């Protein structure tokens, strides 16, 4: 196939399209796309950090980086006189030469090829939403043996059309990753990611993944709320205490023992575009990882290294609870205000009273962190400013409400309520906001049911 790569380059030169390497999946857009200017970040070259860019400079940034990313030769050195290029293509047309789309498929399949000098492992991602698809894509790209557990239309699309990602505004060629709805077919793996929403995460899921879990399996449960293992190996009076509302009867603790868990969270924005399709919109800190007791370990290091080989940051953090607490608090407060105001980030930013509600609720909940001795690296003011700078972004729960999906708000709030009750902290403002937001969800659900019954 590689003997035909030059012909693909000729085709693209005749069309005026810059050539791409046939041996690697692009990490960034090959050409300018229609960005809306919402919190634009450049997707980097391998090994480079993510960096936020000015929307007005984004186009120039891509053009400036194009040649080093797509070819080891200067673009001009590949340009042939148009007549010669056309003649070469006409001669090639007499042979059976792959089309560009076929070559794109070769590019796609090569992204998961293994380098014998690099540490590889097996991983199963349970849940094929936006985050699940992105994790599977990145770890597959790093050369690991990845399986997605999905169901329904997602599973059909993954099996028939491959995993399709959009990154930096560009639709990348499909990536063929194993997909199944039967964990028993997968067997024991090194890592299990549970990427479903917190509202869909319960003892049923924990039982379902047992065929994946062996003696040396590491489990990464959802951490967009305060997780069941929070006080495992805690230094102090709450050591190994349980969160009774989060994990009634210690079912999760028993099925997914905390000693098998690595904590992680996500600081990025990804959305599902359709079955088997997801878009990475922007990245902040990527996927922070950490042992629950703050120690360093091989299992954290090899996973973080794989994320980074796949092109995504994965900071190794000494206190993963601080990361999870701030991520969960941000999610709780921003989503509640967005749902109540039916407002995008820009609309919230333009309403000083709404910003004050955000600030007050965050400070109220941060008392929990202070009582537990957790470090909060960024002030509430700083987090508000950073989040609302993505003015066109719509919070995930507001998006779910608009399309008729159940919110994960109750499960998220319950985890904070559980923690606050255990240490004796009151959260009156946050509780009131959550109560009204849940009322709106119930009212919307009732209206949809009545409308469906009436039709």
């Amino acid at each position: 196939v590689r003997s035909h790569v030059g012909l693909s380059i000729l085709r693209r030169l005749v069309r005026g399209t810059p050539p791409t390497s046939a041996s690697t999946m692009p990490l960034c857009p090959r050409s300018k796309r229609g960005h809306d200017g919402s919190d634009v970040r450049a997707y980097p070259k391998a090994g480079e950090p993510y960096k936020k860019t000015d929307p007005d400079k984004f186009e120039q940034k891509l053009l400036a980086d194009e040649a080093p990313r797509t070819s080891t030769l200067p673009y001009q050195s590949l340009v042939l006189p148009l007549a010669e290029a056309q003649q070469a293509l006409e001669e090639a047309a007499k042979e059976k030469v792959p089309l560009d789309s076929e070559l794109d498929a070769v590019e796609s399949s090569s992204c998961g090829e293994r380098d014998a000098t690099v540490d590889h492992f097996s991983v199963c991602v349970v849940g094929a939403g936006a985050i699940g698809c992105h994790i599977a894509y990145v770890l597959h790209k790093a050369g690991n043996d990845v399986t997605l557990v999905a169901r329904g239309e997602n599973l059909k699309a993954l099996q028939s059309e491959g995993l399709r990602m959009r990154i930096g505004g560009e639709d990348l060629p499909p990536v063929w990753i194993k997909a199944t709805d039967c964990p028993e077919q997968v067997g024991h793996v090194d890592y299990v990611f549970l990427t479903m929403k917190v509202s869909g995460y319960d003892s049923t899921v924990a039982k379902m993944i047992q065929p994946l879990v062996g003696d040396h399996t590491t489990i990464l449960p959802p951490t967009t709320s305060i997780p069941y293992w929070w006080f495992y190996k805690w230094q102090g009076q709450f050591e190994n205490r349980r969160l009774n509302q989060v994990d009634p009867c210690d079912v999760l603790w028993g099925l997914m023992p905390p000693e098998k868990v690595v904590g992680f969270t996500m600081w990025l924005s990804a959305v599902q575009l359709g079955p088997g399709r997801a878009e990475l919109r922007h990245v902040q800190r990527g996927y922070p990882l950490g042992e629950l007791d703050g120690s360093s370990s091989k299992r954290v290091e090899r996973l973080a290294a794989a994320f980074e080989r796949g092109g995504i940051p994965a900071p190794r953090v000494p206190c993963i609870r601080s990361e999870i607490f701030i991520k969960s608090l941000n999610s709780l407060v921003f989503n509640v205000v967005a749902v109540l105001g039916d407002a995008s980030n820009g609309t919230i930013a333009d309403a000083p009273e709404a910003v004050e509600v955000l600030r007050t609720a965050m400070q109220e909940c941060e008392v929990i962190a202070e009582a537990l001795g957790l470090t909060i690296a960024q002030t509430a003011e700083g987090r508000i400013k950073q989040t609302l700078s993505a003015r066109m972004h719509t919070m995930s729960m507001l998006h779910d409400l608009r399309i008729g999906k159940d919110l994960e708000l109750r499960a998220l709030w319950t985890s904070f309520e559980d923690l606050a009750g255990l240490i004796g902290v009151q959260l009156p403002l946050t509780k009131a906001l959550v109560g009204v937001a849940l009322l709106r969800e119930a009212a919307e659900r009732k209206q949809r049911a009545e409308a469906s019954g009436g039709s």
Side-chain angles (χ1 to χ4, degrees):
V1 172
R2 292 186 183 279
S3 64
H4 297 127
V5 169
L7 294 170
S8 177
I9 292 174
L10 287 176
R11 290 192 187 103
R12 291 169 176 172
L13 289 173
V14 169
R15 294 197 305 261
T17 306
T20 60
S21 167
S23 62
T24 58
M25 177 75 78
L27 286 176
C28 69
R30 291 182 239 178
S31 57
K32 185 184 75 172
R33 295 295 173 115
H35 293 276
D36 59 13
S38 55
D39 198 19
V40 178
R41 284 171 169 81
Y43 205 66
K45 292 181 279 188
E48 287 191 355
Y50 287 75
K51 45 190 176 288
K52 187 172 180 179
T53 59
D54 186 317
D56 295 332
K57 298 177 181 177
F58 190 64
E59 174 183 342
Q60 292 83 348
K61 175 66 177 174
L62 292 181
L63 294 175
D65 284 352
E66 193 78 48
R69 247 188 296 252
T70 56
S71 175
T72 57
L73 298 173
Y75 177 74
Q76 289 79 5
S77 69
L78 295 173
V79 178
L80 297 175
L82 182 59
E84 291 184 27
Q86 289 177 328
Q87 181 180 356
L89 290 177
E90 289 172 2
E91 292 175 359
K94 299 176 184 178
E95 305 176 16
K96 188 171 180 61
V97 177
L99 300 174
D100 284 350
S101 59
E102 294 170 322
L103 289 171
D104 281 341
V106 173
E107 294 179 17
S108 171
S109 64
S110 69
C111 74
E113 291 177 359
R114 293 194 172 196
D115 181 345
T117 65
V118 176
D119 179 28
H120 300 287
F121 52 78
S122 58
V123 57
C124 184
V125 181
V126 181
I131 294 295
C133 284
H134 182 249
I135 289 174
Y137 169 82
V138 170
L139 293 179
H140 171 78
K141 188 173 181 300
N144 297 295
D145 180 11
V146 180
T147 303
L148 269 164
V149 173
R151 59 186 180 182
E153 294 302 315
N154 255 344
L155 178 60
K156 292 179 183 178
L158 289 166
Q159 291 177 335
S160 62
E161 302 174 25
L163 170 59
R164 292 163 294 164
M165 287 295 302
R166 176 183 295 170
I167 294 177
E170 176 164 356
D171 291 314
L172 302 180
V175 176
W176 295 95
I177 294 176
K178 291 178 291 184
T180 181
D181 59 357
C182 184
E184 289 82 358
Q185 296 177 354
V186 181
H188 295 171
V189 295
D190 296 313
Y191 294 91
V192 177
F193 281 87
L194 304 181
T195 63
M196 68 287 296
K197 289 183 178 293
V198 176
S199 56
Y201 165 61
D202 55 20
S203 59
T204 302
V205 173
K207 293 174 183 176
M208 182 263 288
I209 68 166
Q210 293 306 301
L212 305 170
V213 180
D215 292 341
H216 304 291
T217 301
T218 296
I219 305 172
L220 296 101
T223 47
T224 50
S225 66
I226 306 301
Y228 70 93
W229 50 257
W230 189 258
F231 287 115
Y232 174 69
K233 287 191 175 181
W234 183 268
Q235 299 297 315
Q237 63 172 319
F238 297 115
E239 183 177 6
N240 292 332
R241 290 287 292 271
R242 310 302 204 261
L243 299 177
N244 294 328
Q245 293 187 75
V246 172
D247 184 19
C249 304
D250 292 348
V251 175
L252 299 179
W253 192 290
L255 291 172
M256 297 184 294
E259 61 267 22
K260 300 188 76 65
V261 170
V262 160
F264 94 112
T265 191
M266 63 287 296
W267 288 98
L268 50 77
S269 174
V271 296
Q272 192 158 21
L273 302 177
R277 297 183 63 217
E279 178 181 9
L280 179 66
R281 290 190 169 172
H282 68 256
V283 174
Q284 293 171 323
R285 286 169 51 75
Y287 294 114
L289 299 163
E291 289 288 350
L292 307 191
D293 62 1
S295 63
S296 59
S297 68
K298 181 179 178 180
R299 63 180 181 174
V300 167
E301 181 58 37
R302 72 194 302 225
L303 183 56
F307 273 127
E308 290 166 356
R309 286 200 311 274
I312 199 80
R316 295 78 158 164
V317 296
C319 186
I320 191 63
R321 289 179 178 85
S322 292
E323 294 274 349
I324 293 171
F325 185 88
I326 292 303
K327 175 65 179 179
S328 301
L329 176 55
N330 279 11
S331 179
L332 176 65
V333 176
F334 279 109
N335 275 290
V336 164
V337 171
V339 166
L340 290 177
D342 196 23
S344 66
N345 285 5
T347 303
I348 296 172
D350 292 337
E353 296 82 2
V355 174
E356 180 59 29
V357 170
L358 289 172
R359 183 182 301 110
T360 305
M362 282 190 176
Q363 292 171 346
E364 178 180 80
C365 293
E366 285 175 5
V367 173
I368 297 175
E370 294 172 7
L372 293 174
L374 295 176
T375 300
I376 299 178
Q378 189 179 27
T379 65
E381 195 66 42
R383 301 197 307 274
I384 291 170
K385 182 178 180 181
Q386 179 176 330
T387 301
L388 296 185
S389 67
R391 293 182 59 83
M392 299 184 71
H393 180 68
T394 298
M395 298 306 296
S396 61
M397 291 190 203
L398 177 56
H399 173 75
D400 288 346
L401 185 71
R402 288 173 174 174
I403 63 175
K405 293 179 66 174
D406 291 340
L407 306 188
E408 55 182 342
L409 178 57
R410 187 180 297 279
L412 176 53
W413 162 244
T414 295
S415 72
F416 274 89
E417 190 176 39
D418 221 349
L419 195 58
L422 186 61
I423 63 178
V425 171
Q426 301 297 314
L427 307 173
L429 173 61
T430 311
K431 183 175 183 179
L433 293 171
V434 169
V436 180
L438 291 173
L439 174 62
R440 183 185 175 194
E441 180 189 21
E444 294 269 356
R445 187 184 298 115
K446 182 178 179 181
Q447 289 176 3
R448 288 194 302 271
E450 291 174 348
S452 176
S455 60

